[in-house]
Amino acid sequence: MIFKNILVTGGAGFIGSHLVRLLVDKYPDTRIINLDKLTYAGNLANLRDIEDRANYHFVKADICDYEAMLKLLKDYEVDAIVHLAAESHVDRSIEEPFVFAQTNVMGTLSLLEAAKTVWQKEDNWQSKRFYQISTDEVYGSLQDNDSLFSEISKYEPHSPYSAAKASADHFVRAYHDTYALPILISNCSNNYGPYQFPEKLIPLFINNIRHKKSLPVYGKGENIRDWLHVEDHVRAIDLVLHKGIVGQSYNIGGFNEWKNIDLVKELINCTDRLLGREEGEDMDLITYVADRKGHDLRYAIDSTKISKELGWKPVYDFPSGLEQTVSWYLEHQDWLDNVTSGRYVEYYEKMYNNR
Ligand code: NAD
Ligand code: TYD
């Protein structure tokens, strides 16, 4: 598949910015349109290195604004949508479920309806793609140590975040089954890497270790997550977009499970080493705190299908991926300070309002 105009929603966020960079670099003859509302999690500084490229365009908009989505799809003659825009943090979803339903469910529906309305009028509309980026959290929680989520696992979300993502995935599938909208879905495990908002475990803890602040481990730290480097995820997204079979979903994960407490110890050792401290000297920062409500015990992905059918496999091994990530955060304290102070929001609001 070759696309002329790819719309990436949520391109100023963590995964979206890595995807936009990959697409802008790899497809110089394709226009990459980054649509983002710039919530607290959206940060155009993540894309400073490519913002002047001829095939990159930024549009500030809200996916929930149906009229704006219609206009944008027409004006830019969009032939593929990679939909990442979402509220993404489980802890926030427990506090603010309405916001999650609004953005993740209603926003996805608004985009689906706009795509259907605009594309259906075109002769070649089966060559378009609506690609929903989803999470393994829609499958719920594994209670044993061996089983894995596959593409046919049942959806059993537990948190307001995963319930909203699951609902959005169901709408995407419904648009395929009802209106023949050419859709793709992928469900990925936990991502790590540069530019992740420091509310998520890995960047939050690296920053805290640096500043000798406590590390709040939920419950006993026995929950298990399957970690994948964000660059491996966006390489998979590129493959699914260009080679995936319409109507199918693909699981993406690195067969890389870690118990939270073991990961935290690994992070402390790595961060201490890179800061020139004695390895492990910050172990006493670990503080066990009250567990997250409804905390899923274990996520683990079987990514055999995407490997066999599309030839994807992760490039990063975990120790080198983690070391690269810790180094990046330690070298980008200014980025961390900006996103935690909110200063970048004011800066870019001004810049775009003045254009
Ligand atoms: P993120 O929170 O870093 O970024 C989300 C982006 O969406 C931000 O730039 C934000 O400004 C934008 N956004 C939010 N609401 C919007 C709206 N109404 N209109 C337009 N833009 C809006 O999230 P992320 O971690 O990069 O996740 C991106 C996607 O990937 C999400 O859909 C998430 O569910 C999915 N996902 C994430 C992970 C992970 O580990 N982070 C794993 C699997 C799937
Ligand atoms: P997180 O990065 O929020 O991702 P998700 O909830 O989507 O898996 O959390 C990863 C794991 O780390 C999860 O089991 C919750 C746990 N956690 C803590 O123990 N302490 C923290 O401060 C955070 C943010 C997460």
Side-chain angles (χ1 to χ4, degrees):
M1 299 291 304
I2 295 180
F3 301 106
K4 287 202 185 107
N5 298 295
I6 301 177
L7 176 71
V8 177
T9 71
F14 166 49
I15 302 172
S17 60
H18 286 273
L19 178 66
V20 166
R21 183 174 296 101
L22 178 150
L23 296 175
V24 164
D25 278 340
K26 188 166 172 188
Y27 303 102
D29 297 328
T30 300
R31 181 161 56 172
I32 311 300
I33 305 124
N34 170 15
L35 178 161
D36 203 294
K37 184 183 171 185
L38 301 182
T39 66
Y40 77 95
N43 183 359
L44 288 174
N46 297 357
L47 289 164
R48 207 168 271 155
D49 54 325
I50 56 119
E51 67 188 3
D52 293 329
R53 301 279 273 279
N55 63 335
Y56 171 70
H57 290 253
F58 173 70
V59 178
K60 185 174 178 203
D62 185 339
I63 51 166
C64 299
D65 183 346
Y66 173 66
E67 295 299 330
M69 295 306 104
L70 273 181
K71 183 165 171 7
L72 192 140
L73 295 181
K74 282 187 214 150
D75 288 355
Y76 283 90
E77 297 177 349
V78 169
D79 47 7
I81 301 171
V82 189
H83 177 38
L84 296 96
E87 290 291 338
S88 67
H89 191 43
V90 174
D91 292 325
R92 282 180 193 256
S93 81
I94 295 168
E95 300 303 320
E96 300 182 310
F98 276 113
V99 181
F100 281 68
Q102 177 63 16
T103 296
N104 300 3
V105 186
M106 295 310 290
T108 302
L109 183 55
S110 144
L111 205 54
L112 281 165
E113 185 59 21
K116 183 196 88 183
T117 305
V118 174
W119 288 346
Q120 251 181 352
K121 296 192 180 109
E122 296 180 27
D123 294 339
N124 63 340
W125 84 296
Q126 284 307 311
S127 65
K128 315 284 188 197
R129 292 290 180 270
F130 186 106
Y131 180 5
Q132 161 81 348
I133 304 304
S134 191
T135 162
D136 59 357
E137 304 192 22
V138 296
Y139 297 123
S141 183
L142 296 163
Q143 293 308 321
D144 58 52
N145 281 327
D146 307 314
S147 49
L148 301 171
F149 296 131
S150 82
E151 288 79 2
I152 56 166
S153 297
K154 255 192 359 204
Y155 271 33
E156 284 187 78
H158 297 298
S159 72
Y161 162 67
S162 54
K165 289 296 291 186
S167 171
D169 292 5
H170 287 315
F171 268 108
V172 172
R173 188 153 296 290
Y175 267 65
H176 173 260
D177 296 348
T178 309
Y179 309 109
L181 189 78
I183 65 111
L184 296 156
I185 302 178
S186 58
N187 299 82
C188 188
S189 61
N190 283 59
N191 284 212
Y192 71 98
Y195 299 114
Q196 186 168 33
F197 196 85
E199 62 189 351
K200 306 279 169 38
L201 180 77
I202 289 184
L204 176 71
F205 278 28
I206 296 169
N207 203 25
N208 284 9
I209 296 165
R210 176 183 208 143
H211 296 293
K212 298 254 178 206
K213 283 165 68 178
S214 71
L215 307 174
V217 173
Y218 299 159
K220 294 184 180 151
E222 283 177 352
N223 304 66
I224 294 171
R225 297 292 181 265
D226 182 355
W227 293 93
L228 182 72
H229 196 283
V230 62
E231 289 171 20
D232 284 321
H233 184 193
V234 300
R235 274 190 279 270
I237 294 175
D238 175 36
L239 262 182
V240 172
L241 175 65
H242 289 93
K243 302 211 169 110
I245 296 169
V246 166
Q248 301 256 329
S249 68
Y250 297 86
N251 277 358
I252 306 170
F255 294 105
N256 178 41
E257 291 178 52
W258 284 82
K259 210 179 253 192
N260 287 345
I261 189 63
D262 296 334
L263 174 62
V264 170
K265 288 179 181 165
E266 198 73 11
L267 260 182
I268 294 172
N269 284 332
C270 183
T271 309
D272 281 346
R273 195 171 59 247
L274 291 173
L275 282 171
R277 296 178 186 166
E278 193 178 325
E279 219 173 273
E281 83 170 49
D282 289 315
M283 288 294 170
D284 59 355
L285 295 176
I286 293 174
T287 311
Y288 293 96
V289 298
D291 209 354
R292 175 186 276 172
K293 289 191 182 87
H295 198 173
D296 285 337
L297 181 63
R298 175 172 170 256
Y299 303 142
I301 276 275
D302 180 356
S303 53
T304 310
K305 176 176 171 180
I306 188 171
S307 298
K308 279 204 176 139
E309 294 184 10
L310 305 183
W312 173 84
K313 63 173 187 325
V315 169
Y316 279 92
D317 66 73
F318 193 60
S320 62
L322 196 67
E323 179 152 335
Q324 177 251 25
T325 300
V326 175
S327 302
W328 189 88
Y329 286 99
L330 295 181
E331 285 160 15
H332 291 80
Q333 188 62 47
D334 54 335
W335 182 90
L336 277 167
D337 290 344
N338 278 337
V339 298
T340 43
S341 75
R343 261 184 292 139
Y344 76 91
V345 177
E346 288 164 35
Y347 173 74
Y348 278 100
E349 287 275 324
K350 244 187 250 157
M351 190 169 113
Y352 276 94
N353 289 338
N354 289 340
R355 275 191 173 180

